[in-house]
């Protein structure tokens, strides 16, 4: 799989049937194309961006999508054992979210991502930006993930 390629899905955003709460200094913007939403994150004196995408079904599987994200950061693929060591399961009212965090190869930034299977879709919450911004926003990112709930 091309590391930058999205798994098969529709070209239009899924309905926004999940809800969330963001900190006062973040901005929740409407999505476009495949994005359900785009969230601007302000933390640590900088900014990052979270894309929210929902694709039907399993969207290729969790590990395949994590490896796609890793490829976007210039990192190599990981297998099931490494994935099990690095992924964290986080409970939310919408269901269990698999959370991963990666620092990219030199100059590639960092990623905080959550994957949730809910309502017949796989939801992707992918925050990317400078490592210091995502580190400063980490507690808020975890609170965001824990606060996911059905509309």
């Amino acid at each position: 799989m091309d590391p930058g390629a999205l798994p098969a899905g529709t070209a239009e955003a899924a309905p926004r049937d999940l809800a969330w709460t963001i900190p006062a200094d973040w901005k929740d913007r409407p999505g476009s194309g495949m994005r359900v939403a785009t969230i601007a994150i302000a933390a640590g004196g900088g900014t990052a961006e979270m894309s929210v995408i929902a694709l039907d079904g399993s969207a290729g599987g969790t590990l395949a999508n994590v490896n796609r994200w890793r490829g976007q950061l210039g990192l190599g693929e990981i297998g099931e054992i490494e994935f099990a060591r690095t992924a964290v399961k986080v409970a939310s009212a919408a269901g269990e979210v698999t959370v991963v965090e990666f620092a990219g190869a030199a100059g590639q930034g960092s990623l905080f991502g959550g994957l949730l299977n809910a309502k017949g879709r796989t939801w992707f919450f992918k925050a990317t930006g400078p490592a210091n911004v995502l580190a400063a926003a980490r507690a808020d990112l975890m609170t965001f993930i824990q606060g996911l709930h059905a509309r």
Side-chain angles (χ1 to χ4, degrees), residues 9-80:
T10 63
E12 295 181 13
R16 187 165 166 177
D17 53 6
L18 286 184
W20 48 80
T21 302
I22 61 170
D25 52 347
W26 293 15
K27 303 291 183 232
D28 191 357
R29 298 198 164 95
S32 63
M34 293 181 70
R35 287 187 182 197
V36 175
T38 299
I39 300 170
I41 298 169
T47 60
E49 180 180 276
M50 179 187 296
S51 62
V52 180
I53 295 173
L55 299 176
D56 289 337
S58 68
T62 301
L63 181 57
N65 283 293
V66 167
N67 278 324
R68 179 177 50 82
W69 287 349
R70 288 179 59 82
Q72 292 169 352
L73 291 174
L75 301 172
E77 291 187 2
I78 59 174
E80 291 287 344

Side-chain angles (χ1 to χ4, degrees), residues 16-21 28 94 123 125 144-145 147-151:
R16 187 165 166 177
D17 53 6
L18 286 184
W20 48 80
T21 302
D28 191 357
W123 287 81
F125 302 90
F144 171 89
I145 293 295
L148 294 171
H149 57 280
R151 266 186 188 247

